[in-house]
Amino acid sequence: MVQTTAQPVQSATSLGLSGSGMAYISGPEATFWNPANLMIADRPGRFHLSVGTGAFSFDPVFPESSVRTQLASYRRAYRPYKPGSFQISKDRRQKILEMHYPGNTLLSTHRQQADLLLAGALWKTEHYSLSIALRGRYGSTFKVGRGWYDGSSIQDGQQHIRDFSLIQRRSELYELAIGYAREFTFVNGLLPGANTLYIGITPKFIVAGPHLNARYDARYLQETDEDIQPVFNTFSAEFKLQSSGSHGQAFRQYRQNGRAQQAIDDNFSSSYSFKPTGYGIGFDFGLNYVIPLGYRNFGDQASKSLRIGLSFNDIGAVRYHKQPFTLESERDTTKAALQAPVQQMFTGAGGQYINYLHRASSLPNPLLTADSPSEQSYTALLPTSINTGLLLDLKHLKLMGDLAIGLDNTAFSSKNIILNLGMEARLLKQIPIRLGTTLAKNRPFTLGLGTGLETRNWDFNLGTTLLLQSHSPEAYFTGGAFGGLQLHF
């Protein structure tokens, strides 16, 4: 499964539209996605309040048909690693290889993300809009080499490879944002409802929690003639690590005593307690160009329109200063005994990165062999991304498509290009029906579903995503969201 860029904001509406809606979604949540949309109010009133909007999604290593079991797997992947967790049977190992390593694929990528809009308020006037919003978000992205699960090699030309790469990026951010948007009408007066450009910007202050950016780029290599069976004794590896908070302290402790589980137990807790490790600033910038396609009456807004949106999200950086710990070792080629496949899945649980490398006894352990660790503060860029979107608004039917790409690989984004498609239909004005899907290379088919109840003065929305596999008739639950309570005055 190939992980792709996630939308800057996950909500019940965006999840139901499978990540599309960049030119559509308005209200306080637009503060973090496309602040230009703060000027596009689809609900009556000048003051709009949103409380308790939450969403989560993930790409499971091993999808479960039971929603309850799937949710339990999600929680275990967020919490600290426990011995004996995530065991692999023979059948599960084969299914993991079929799902995530088809053909000659060497790396699988998985994502886990959660967003919570704690509170947001929007004040809209005739000429400008102001918003203030507070949200928390968590992201974990990891890549696992095929060699961890598969004892056989993959031939690439004259070279045979067993990939033991292990990459994980994990981050927690709390953001206080103030959005500002206004409109610029190109033609005024005689042509009411003419094309309009909306522009918005959102400066934000960020408090960051524990941070992890670990990259172990490692492979067994053997160049042979086609008729010769390769013997893997050449091992090439490079390692880079940046960490803070509980992650940094766990790596530091492990280097001191070499006891993996003790380092995990002493530094990661099952009970949630946010501990700041860094501070930063950033901003989001957005445009929305509205082209009317028809008019109701002279002087009224168009009932149908085409919207073209563009946004630059998460421009900025965070300075990590509490319990920072960095390691780096340059690429080295050596002789190494052949490592057997592991007996447990890697899910990105707290501290599991340490456990995985500790248990790989035949591999050089970069956590112990890397020289010159540093405890100096470091700076990490925010998950900057560029998003574009189209919305064809036909009043009772909305069709939309988004393109997104991250400028760097982070816990929340990647450099892969992603296309999201969505549709919202209303047979009844108060009840939207949302469908969406995501298109990306080598990605299984996903389906977004959403609905809600939207009255004149309040809204409540729900959304979910389903994963559909070509070799299985079952659909797997991979995300959910609730719209909280949105009030309009």
Side-chain angles (χ1 to χ4, degrees):
M1 185 181 299
V2 176
Q3 184 265 344
T4 50
T5 306
Q7 65 267 26
V9 175
Q10 288 192 138
S11 65
T13 302
S14 67
L15 216 62
L17 297 170
S18 196
S20 59
M22 177 268 183
Y24 167 50
I25 292 177
S26 58
E29 65 192 78
T31 306
F32 298 101
W33 196 349
N34 184 355
N37 291 357
L38 296 172
M39 282 298 298
I40 304 176
D42 59 352
R43 314 298 295 155
R46 289 194 170 190
F47 186 72
H48 308 272
L49 179 66
S50 180
V51 180
T53 298
F56 70 94
S57 62
F58 62 108
D59 298 326
V61 179
F62 187 84
E64 303 282 356
S65 56
S66 165
V67 173
R68 183 177 180 179
T69 306
Q70 195 83 309
L71 288 172
S73 297
Y74 178 90
R75 290 192 297 267
R76 289 202 308 271
Y78 173 77
R79 293 173 176 172
Y81 169 79
K82 296 297 183 183
S85 301
F86 318 115
Q87 294 297 311
I88 306 175
S89 65
K90 182 178 179 180
D91 291 340
R92 285 197 169 198
R93 183 187 305 278
Q94 186 60 35
K95 188 171 183 178
I96 289 172
L97 292 175
E98 292 173 355
M99 290 179 58
H100 306 304
Y101 303 93
N104 291 336
T105 302
L106 293 175
L107 278 174
S108 69
T109 307
H110 305 268
R111 175 179 57 88
Q112 185 179 33
Q113 187 172 345
D115 281 83
L116 180 62
L117 182 61
L118 299 169
L122 167 63
W123 173 260
K124 185 181 182 302
T125 71
E126 183 179 357
H127 300 292
Y128 66 88
S129 292
L130 287 173
S131 70
I132 183 169
L134 174 65
R135 76 159 170 172
R137 56 175 167 163
Y138 153 77
S140 175
T141 298
F142 57 90
K143 298 183 179 183
V144 183
R146 181 184 187 128
W148 291 101
Y149 299 121
D150 189 4
S152 60
S153 63
I154 298 297
Q155 185 170 351
D156 183 11
Q158 296 298 313
Q159 195 173 59
H160 294 260
I161 300 172
R162 270 193 75 192
D163 196 308
F164 275 85
S165 295
L166 190 63
I167 301 165
Q168 185 179 11
R169 301 176 179 95
R170 182 166 167 160
S171 184
E172 296 180 34
L173 302 173
Y174 279 84
E175 304 168 341
L176 177 63
I178 300 175
Y180 174 77
R182 65 177 304 116
E183 69 175 75
F184 294 84
T185 305
F186 289 152
V187 181
N188 256 328
L190 297 178
L191 296 177
N195 301 355
T196 305
L197 175 67
Y198 298 98
I199 299 178
I201 189 169
T202 300
K204 53 190 179 183
F205 176 71
I206 300 163
V207 181
H211 176 253
L212 170 63
N213 186 353
R215 180 182 180 86
Y216 185 44
D217 187 359
R219 292 180 172 186
Y220 283 101
L221 303 171
Q222 180 69 48
E223 295 183 1
T224 68
D225 295 329
E226 293 185 3
D227 297 332
I228 301 177
Q229 178 68 26
V231 178
F232 290 99
N233 55 6
T234 300
F235 188 74
S236 177
E238 180 183 25
F239 182 69
K240 293 183 180 180
L241 167 70
Q242 286 184 324
S243 58
S244 70
S246 55
H247 297 290
Q249 186 60 28
F251 287 120
R252 183 184 297 107
Q253 182 176 330
Y254 176 63
R255 276 183 62 95
Q256 292 173 350
N257 60 27
R259 299 174 182 173
Q261 195 57 49
Q262 182 180 344
I264 296 170
D265 293 340
D266 290 349
N267 293 284
F268 296 94
S269 173
S270 295
S271 58
Y272 179 76
S273 176
F274 181 74
K275 297 180 180 179
T277 70
Y279 301 92
I281 56 174
F283 70 93
D284 305 310
F285 175 79
L287 306 172
N288 203 328
Y289 186 47
V290 181
I291 304 171
L293 301 179
Y295 306 96
R296 294 176 181 173
N297 295 300
F298 185 83
D300 290 342
Q301 292 184 347
S303 60
K304 301 177 182 179
S305 64
L306 175 67
R307 300 184 196 174
I308 304 172
L310 172 68
S311 69
F312 299 87
N313 300 100
D314 289 316
I315 302 172
V318 174
R319 184 69 174 176
Y320 290 96
H321 64 88
K322 189 171 183 180
Q323 296 176 323
F325 188 75
T326 62
L327 283 174
E328 184 172 351
S329 58
E330 297 181 356
R331 181 162 296 280
D332 182 46
T333 301
T334 185
K335 303 295 183 181
L338 193 61
Q339 174 66 40
V342 295
Q343 300 302 315
Q344 60 178 344
M345 296 182 290
F346 186 86
T347 66
Q352 191 182 16
Y353 197 93
I354 297 175
N355 177 272
Y356 237 57
L357 294 182
H358 174 76
R359 294 173 64 89
S361 57
S362 297
L363 302 181
N365 189 337
L367 297 177
L368 301 178
T369 60
D371 296 328
S372 304
S374 173
E375 298 184 14
Q376 298 296 317
S377 300
Y378 65 91
T379 300
L381 296 177
L382 291 176
T384 307
S385 63
I386 302 174
N387 299 268
T388 62
L390 287 175
L391 167 66
L392 180 60
D393 187 353
L394 302 177
K395 192 177 179 179
H396 297 298
L397 177 66
K398 294 177 174 62
L399 304 174
M400 60 202 78
D402 290 14
L403 274 175
I405 184 171
L407 300 188
D408 198 5
N409 293 314
T410 71
F412 300 98
S413 64
S414 78
K415 295 181 180 180
N416 295 330
I417 297 177
I418 182 173
L419 172 63
N420 298 315
L421 301 174
M423 177 192 73
E424 180 184 281
R426 293 176 184 260
L427 299 179
L428 297 176
K429 183 179 179 180
Q430 294 83 7
I431 302 178
I433 303 298
R434 303 183 178 102
L435 297 172
T437 189
T438 298
L439 302 179
K441 184 179 180 181
N442 297 331
R443 182 180 176 91
F445 180 75
T446 58
L447 178 66
L449 299 171
T451 188
L453 179 60
E454 299 182 354
T455 70
R456 178 179 179 84
N457 295 317
W458 60 270
D459 302 341
F460 183 81
N461 289 280
L462 297 170
T464 188
T465 56
L466 300 175
L467 170 67
L468 288 84
Q469 295 285 339
S470 59
H471 61 273
S472 173
E474 295 180 303
Y476 302 103
F477 170 79
T478 62
F482 57 90
L485 187 61
Q486 301 177 51
L487 304 175
H488 313 285
F489 304 99

